[in-house]
Amino acid sequence: MIKKFKKRLTLLFICSVMGVFTVVFCLFIHENVQSKKENEMNFFARMITYLVFQLENTDDAAGDLTLTGQTYDFTLLLKNNENAFIPVNTNHSNTDTNTLISLFEQELHKISIDLPDNAHSTQSGIFSFSAPDRHSYYGIQATVITKNMDTLELYAIKESTSSFTFLKEHLSFYLIVWLLVFIAILFLARFLINKAIKPTEHTLLSQKEFVASASHELKAPLAVILASAECIGNDTTLSLESKQHTEVIDSECLRMSKLVQDLLLLSSVDANTWTLNKTNINVDTLLINTYEKYEPICRQKGIQLKLNTSDELFPALNADIDRLNQILSIFIDNAINYSLPKSEISLDATVFKNTLVFSIKDHGTGIADKDKPFIFDRFFCADKSRTQKEHYGLGLSIAKELVEMHKGKIELSDTLGGGCTFKIFFPL
């Protein structure tokens, strides 16, 4: 139990801390990528400003454009005074030139640009647009007044780098950082939780050792008391009242003996010293024997016990026959104790997806929803007053331990019309 709790607590701690770290880390990466995109835009704007300055003082505009375009992968297009493009091979994008010009001018008409004053060069702000092939671009329009007072219109276009490209550059670094933090959190979680749980673990271990020791120590005195009570009961000179007291002693000692046996079994399970003697069990025979054992008890209490089996033989079940009998006995005993007179208890078995399913269904008082999460806890009793002295709240916890030792599981559901249904699953 404590091991499962530690695992769940460790998993919760790691998931919580790593979840927060991952969110913060992703925000950091996003900001880093956005910063790189802004730097790319600013660099593009500065280079175009520098290019405009060059064009103002050069006699070879086409040559300067070609050199700059090849160096920085800019697409640079130049219009002369007659509004005709100067033939410069500077398209370094994935989209053809005519489409770029059309998209550039469409976006240019959407923004307001100051009219040139025919004396100074002007430059628009940077804007962005997308091509039908899903490539994105930055654009800048500039009007250049050369030293010869000629007017040139510059279209400067640069393909924007995608966020994924920026991310891919440092993706391995980001993954290594995340993995290192995860490993550090894993070791930190195990250290902190082990340190926090250690006092509780020590207390539970002490309790288990006490229960195991006390159970062993009680076996001998109980055996002596039972033997002595039997000897006294065999005395023919005893009065009726004394015999009644002897019967009470005998009954209570048997009840205490059963409790000791249950505690010893749980102690063995906790210490991992319990072993299963597995054999191939004939399920049909097991069901018939169980029915014949409990049918007279049910009849005596006015309860009808039904055995439902299929016409086909069940496959053999590899399990410990004694433990399997104990498991079924626990559930049927519970069903009998909590069933009303003239009600019905049904015992059946089915095979479903390579799994053998035993089902014990009663029409008794049922189990409240608030109690269902705790019914397999040790010493838990739905009857808080504990008026039923034959129950210590260990039966279902023992059944759960034994079923899990067989790699099985238990499911609880409400019976239609009242009562509860337990299903026990065993892998074949």
Side-chain angles (χ1 to χ4, degrees):
M1 182 178 68
I2 196 71
K3 288 182 180 179
K4 290 182 180 178
F5 178 69
K6 284 169 66 174
K7 286 181 181 178
R8 290 175 182 174
L9 201 58
T10 302
L11 183 63
L12 179 62
F13 181 87
I14 292 172
C15 290
S16 301
V17 175
M18 287 307 300
V20 173
F21 170 76
T22 302
V23 171
V24 174
F25 195 48
C26 288
L27 289 174
F28 166 77
I29 294 173
H30 175 74
E31 290 299 320
N32 190 35
V33 169
Q34 292 301 114
S35 176
K36 288 186 176 183
K37 291 176 77 72
E38 288 179 8
N39 290 339
E40 182 184 49
M41 294 172 62
N42 293 334
F43 174 77
F44 177 54
R46 288 197 300 270
M47 289 305 302
I48 299 305
T49 301
Y50 176 71
L51 184 59
V52 169
F53 175 75
Q54 279 187 313
L55 292 175
E56 288 176 341
N57 301 282
T58 187
D59 295 321
D60 185 16
D64 287 346
L65 289 177
T66 301
L67 179 62
T68 304
Q70 291 175 346
T71 304
Y72 299 106
D73 289 336
F74 294 165
T75 298
L76 302 170
L77 305 168
L78 199 61
K79 277 185 178 181
N80 56 19
N81 290 329
E82 286 77 28
N83 204 31
F85 284 103
I86 298 174
V88 180
N89 185 20
T90 60
N91 189 350
H92 296 281
S93 68
N94 293 302
T95 309
D96 67 274
T97 304
N98 290 331
T99 303
L100 275 179
I101 293 173
S102 175
L103 293 170
F104 184 94
E105 290 179 342
Q106 288 177 20
E107 192 65 30
L108 197 62
H109 291 148
K110 295 178 184 178
I111 60 176
S112 58
I113 301 176
D114 296 335
L115 295 173
D117 58 8
N118 297 322
H120 301 90
S121 300
T122 59
Q123 178 179 327
S124 73
I126 190 169
F127 56 88
S128 60
F129 60 94
S130 299
D133 55 10
R134 296 185 178 181
H135 288 92
S136 298
Y137 297 91
Y138 300 130
I140 294 177
Q141 186 270 351
T143 303
V144 183
I145 308 299
T146 66
K147 61 183 180 180
N148 299 322
M149 300 306 292
D150 292 328
T151 302
L152 300 175
E153 188 175 3
L154 174 66
Y155 288 1
I157 303 170
K158 181 190 182 310
E159 185 172 353
S160 64
T161 307
S162 66
S163 298
F164 179 73
T165 303
F166 283 125
L167 180 63
K168 192 165 62 174
E169 292 176 0
H170 302 288
L171 185 60
S172 58
F173 171 75
Y174 293 144
L175 289 175
I176 290 171
V177 170
W178 190 92
L179 187 60
L180 289 174
V181 172
F182 174 77
I183 293 171
I185 294 299
L186 177 62
F187 281 101
L188 181 63
R190 295 185 66 178
F191 172 76
L192 292 177
I193 289 172
N194 282 335
K195 196 173 183 65
I197 295 295
K198 194 172 183 179
T200 305
E201 197 171 17
H202 179 72
T203 303
L204 287 175
L205 182 60
S206 299
Q207 289 179 353
K208 289 176 181 178
E209 289 176 351
F210 169 77
V211 169
S213 300
S215 301
H216 280 288
E217 293 299 326
L218 284 170
K219 283 177 67 178
L222 281 172
V224 172
I225 294 171
L226 279 170
S228 300
E230 186 178 357
C231 290
I232 296 171
N234 291 333
D235 188 353
T236 55
T237 62
L238 255 125
S239 64
L240 179 61
E241 184 179 358
S242 298
K243 284 188 176 182
Q244 288 176 345
H245 289 309
T246 305
E247 289 173 1
V248 170
I249 293 172
D250 191 53
S251 173
E252 292 300 314
C253 284
L254 287 173
R255 195 167 70 90
M256 184 64 70
S257 179
K258 185 178 181 303
L259 173 61
V260 169
Q261 289 174 4
D262 290 345
L263 290 174
L264 286 173
L265 190 150
L266 289 173
S267 298
S268 299
V269 172
D270 291 335
N272 293 321
T273 58
W274 190 268
T275 56
L276 297 175
N277 300 315
K278 289 188 176 182
T279 56
N280 286 332
I281 299 171
N282 186 308
V283 178
D284 295 272
T285 304
L286 173 69
L287 289 171
I288 293 171
N289 290 340
T290 305
Y291 172 80
E292 290 176 348
K293 175 183 175 182
Y294 282 97
E295 197 279 331
I297 300 173
C298 290
R299 190 175 352 109
Q300 187 179 2
K301 294 193 174 186
I303 300 169
Q304 184 181 9
L305 178 62
K306 280 190 175 182
L307 175 61
N308 303 314
T309 57
S310 62
D311 295 332
E312 298 180 2
L313 293 176
F314 290 103
L317 174 64
N318 187 252
D320 187 321
I321 183 63
D322 293 329
R323 299 305 127 212
L324 196 54
N325 276 320
Q326 186 175 3
I327 292 167
L328 293 176
S329 295
I330 288 170
F331 286 107
I332 295 176
D333 278 333
N334 266 12
I336 292 172
N337 287 320
Y338 291 101
S339 288
L340 302 174
K342 297 183 180 180
S343 63
E344 178 183 293
I345 298 173
S346 62
L347 169 65
D348 58 59
T350 54
V351 176
F352 178 73
K353 293 184 178 179
N354 206 33
T355 302
L356 179 65
V357 185
F358 290 101
S359 177
I360 296 95
K361 181 189 299 184
D362 67 66
H363 295 274
T365 55
I367 300 173
D369 290 338
K370 63 182 179 64
D371 292 329
K372 287 178 182 177
F374 312 105
I375 60 168
F376 294 107
D377 292 350
R378 296 180 185 182
F379 297 104
F380 177 81
C381 285
D383 179 15
K384 304 302 179 184
S385 62
R386 296 183 181 264
T387 53
Q388 294 188 336
K389 294 184 178 181
E390 64 271 17
H391 294 287
Y392 296 100
L394 290 176
L396 291 180
S397 62
I398 291 173
K400 181 174 180 290
E401 296 284 356
L402 294 176
V403 170
E404 288 179 351
M405 288 176 70
H406 285 85
K407 309 299 181 185
K409 65 176 183 178
I410 303 171
E411 288 184 358
L412 166 65
S413 60
D414 292 328
T415 303
L416 188 64
C420 57
T421 301
F422 284 96
K423 290 184 177 180
I424 312 150
F425 298 80
F426 290 102
L428 291 172

